Amino acid sequence: MKIESLDLSDEIKRFYENSGILELYPPQAKAVEKGLLEGKNLLAAIPTASGKTLLAELAMLKSVLAGGKALYIVPLRALASEKFRRFQEFSGLGIRVGISTGDYDKRDEGLGINDIIVATSEKTDSLLRNETAWMQEISVVVADEVHLIDSPDRGPTLEVTLAKLRRMNPSCQILALSATVGNADELAAWLDAELVLSEWRPTDLMEGVFYNGTFYCRDKEKPVEQPTKDEAINLVLDTIKEGGQSLVFESSRKNCMGFAKKAVSAVKKTLSKEDREALAGIADEILENSETDISSVLANCVRAGTAFHHAGLTTPLRELVEDGFRNGKIKLISSTPTLAAGLNLPARRVVIRSYRRYSSEMGMQPIPVLEYKQMAGRAGRPRLDPYGEAVLLAKSYEELVFLFEKYIEAGAEDIWSKLGTENALRTHVLSTISNGFARTKEELMDFLEATFFAFQYSNFGLSAVVDECLNFLRQEGMLEKDPDILVSTVLGKLVSRLYIDPLSAALIAKGLREAGTLTELTLLHLICSTPDMRLMYMRSQDYQEVNDYVMAHAGEFSRIPDPFNIAEYEWFLGEVKTSLLLMDWIHEKPENEICLKFGIGEGDIHSTADIAEWIMHVAAQLAGLLGLKGAKEATELEKRIRYGAAPELMDLLDIRSVGRVRARKLYEAGFKTTAELAAASPEQIAALVGPKIAERIFKQIGRKGTAPESTTTEPLEKGSPE
Ligand code: ADP
C-alpha cells in the first residue's frame, strides 16, 4: 500500500515521501485496512522495529490536522524524550509537540497549546487527577508498550488511566501498541479494538543457539571463529568482521560492566584510525560529564569501542553511549535487560549471555519468553543490516535443545492484570472518587468494570478488595465517613493530587504526629519508610554498619522494629541505608564517594533523590494541611534534596548552571549570596567557575554580562537546574 494512496492530506504524504517512506509495511497496511485512519480503536501487536510508531504518527497527524489533540503515553522517561524528539520533526507541518514527565502535582495547563503531547503513564494519571482541562479535548490516545499492563509496578496505573480516558472521552480513538503476547485478542477485545497481529519484520531475524563453536539456527548452521577463550567475545568479533555491531544482554550490572571491560583488548584491535579518533572524542565527553570511577571505566571501554549501559549511569552518559552506537563507532554495548524495553537501538547481532534471572523467592529462574523476544527483537537494523541474529548460549547439547523449545519455538506468554490487590487499587480508588468518576460503591464498581482486570477476571473478585480500600481510606480520614456516599475529604483530595499512595500519606502523617524531635534523619527516614520510596539493596557487608548507625541514633527514628522479627528488621535497615545515602547527598559528599560507599552509580543517586524530593514535598504539604510539625523543615529538605547541598548554599543554587560543586566553590571564596555575587568583579567569578559560566551567572542575577570573552565551553554542572 503506497503512502500516496492513503486518505491523508498532501502535506503529510509529502512529509513521509521526503523522508524516504513511500510504501507501508504489511502490518501497517493491515492497520489502515482495519480503520486506523477512520478513527477506529486498534491494537497492533507486532515485533519491534516493524513500524508501530509510524502507525501512531499517521493516526495522530490525521486527527490533529482535523483539529484534534493527541496524547502519546509511554512507560519510561527516556522513551518520552525519544518520541518527543521524533515528533518535533512535524513542526514543518505546523504541529506543536509537548512533553510532560515531571512534577506530579501540577496541572500543566500550558501543555494544552500543543497538538501532540507525550507523557509517561504516571504523569498522564496525575494530569487526570489534577483535572487538567485540555485532557477533555484529546481525540487520539496512543498507549505504547501496552503489554506492560502485566507489570505489577506500572500495569495498574496504565489500565486505570486508559479506563478513565475512555470514560472521559468516549469518542476518542485508542491505538494500543504492544509486543506480540499470547492473549493479544483478549487485550483487543477489552479495548473494543480491531487487532493487527503479525510476526512480520523489515529485516529477517535468525534466532538460534551457539554451542561448541557453532551457531545453530532453525535451518542453518554457522561455524564461528574462536580467536579468544570467551564465546561471547568471539561472537562479537565475528559480527565486527562482517561490518556489524552487537548488543550483549547480561543479567546484572556487575556482569554487564565486566563483559564490556573483558572485550576491550579484542575489540580495540579491530578499530580503524578514524574510529579511534571518534571514540576518543566520545570518551572525553563522558569524562566532562561525570567524574566518577564508573565513568572513567566507561570512558576507557569507549576508547576501545565497547560500552556498558545500565540504570546506574546518568541520562547524559547513557545518551552518549546510545549515540556512539547509532553512528556505528561503538561496536559493542553490554547492557542490562532494561535497554530491551523500548529504546530504539537495534544491532546486527544480539547475544543473550544469561537467560536466567535472580528472584528473591525462587533463586535463578529462566526469563519469560516475552522478555526473550523483546531482546531478540533488537537484532537487525532496518535498511542497514541484511539480517539480524539473536544468539543464546548453551553449555551442553541438552541445554541447546531446551533453549530451542523454551524460547525459539515458543510463543510469548499471556499477560495478566495486576490490579486486583489492595496495594494496587487503593490509590486508584481514591483518585476515581476524588475526580468524581464515582459517588457510590455501585458507581465505583461500574467504573472498575472498564478495567482489564474486570474484563479478565470479572468484577466480582474486586468487590471485597475495594471494600478493604474504602475502609482504609475512611479510617485515615481521606473519605467522608458516610457509608452511603463516596466523597473525598480535603485530605483525600490533596493525597490524590499529590499522586502519592494513600498508605504513604497515612504513614507520613502518623510519623509527624508521633515524632518527638524532628531531625534531618527523622524526616529522611520517614519518607524512606513509605511504599513509594525505592529502597536500596542491602549487601552482606552493610548489615553491621547500618545496624551500628541505628544504635547510635536510636532516638531519631519514629519507630524501630523488634530485631527478632528478622524480615521486618532487615527491611527497616534497607530504609535506613537509603536515608543514609540521602544524608550524604544533602551534606555534599562527592558523588564518586557516595557511589563507592553504597556500591551504586550516579544514576541511582539522582533517581533516588528524585523520588525522595517528591515524597518530601508531599510531607511538607501534608504537615501544612494537617497543622503538624515539620512543614518548614520538610520544605527546606525538599530543596536540599533537589540540589544535594547544605542549607547555606540554597540561595546560590537558585542560579541556573550553578550546581552543588560550583556553589560550594563560590561560597568558600566568600560569595555567599546572589547579592554578593552581583557585587563581585567578573574576573573574580570567572577565575572560580570559568568565563562562560560567569557570564551566565551575571546575566541571570541582573548585572550586565561584563565577564571576559570565553574561548572554552564549560559543561553544565551535574545537578544544576538547567
Ligand atoms: P517500532 O515502533 O515498531 O519499534 P518504528 O516505528 O520505530 O518501529 O520503526 C523502525 C524504523 O522503521 C524507523 O526508522 C522508521 O522510520 C522505519 N519505518 C517505519 N515504517 C516504515 C516504512 N513503511 N517504510 C520504511 N521505513 C519505515
Side-chain angles (χ1 to χ4, degrees), residues 27 45 51 78 171 175 233 249 294 347 353 397 409 414 427 432 442 461 470 505 543 547 549 564 638 659 714 718:
S171 63
L175 175 58
I233 293 182
F249 286 108
I294 295 184
R353 283 246 298 176
Y397 181 73
E409 304 295 352
D414 287 356
T427 185
T432 304
E442 288 66 41
L470 293 175
Y543 285 89
N547 192 46
Y549 188 90
F564 289 104
E638 178 193 348
E714 297 87 6
K718 296 174 297 296

Side-chain angles (χ1 to χ4, degrees), residues 211-229:
Y211 169 59
N212 211 7
T214 303
F215 176 43
Y216 294 92
C217 295
R218 253 188 215 124
D219 45 13
K220 208 157 122 184
E221 289 175 19
K222 191 171 158 189
V224 175
E225 273 182 41
Q226 311 232 37
T228 79
K229 286 209 183 80

Side-chain angles (χ1 to χ4, degrees), residues 65-82:
L65 290 181
K69 196 180 276 310
L71 175 68
Y72 193 107
I73 307 174
V74 290
L76 302 169
R77 280 185 190 194
L79 212 54
S81 313
E82 187 180 297

Side-chain angles (χ1 to χ4, degrees), residues 3 20-25 28 46-55 57 72 82-83 86 144-145 177 202 342 344 378 382-383:
I3 289 275
I21 296 182
L22 303 175
E23 182 139 19
L24 292 185
Y25 287 155
Q28 294 168 337
I46 53 184
T48 37
S50 47
K52 288 197 280 280
T53 313
L54 186 94
L55 281 183
E57 290 174 10
Y72 193 107
E82 187 180 297
K83 298 298 173 197
R86 162 67 188 162
D144 203 353
E145 312 274 336
L177 310 175
N344 187 10
R378 299 276 141 202
R383 292 184 279 189

Side-chain angles (χ1 to χ4, degrees), residues 50 64 207 254 374 423 492 526 562 698:
S50 47
V64 161
E207 290 175 86
K254 197 166 150 227
Q374 292 272 88
N423 279 342
L526 187 57
D562 180 358
F698 284 121

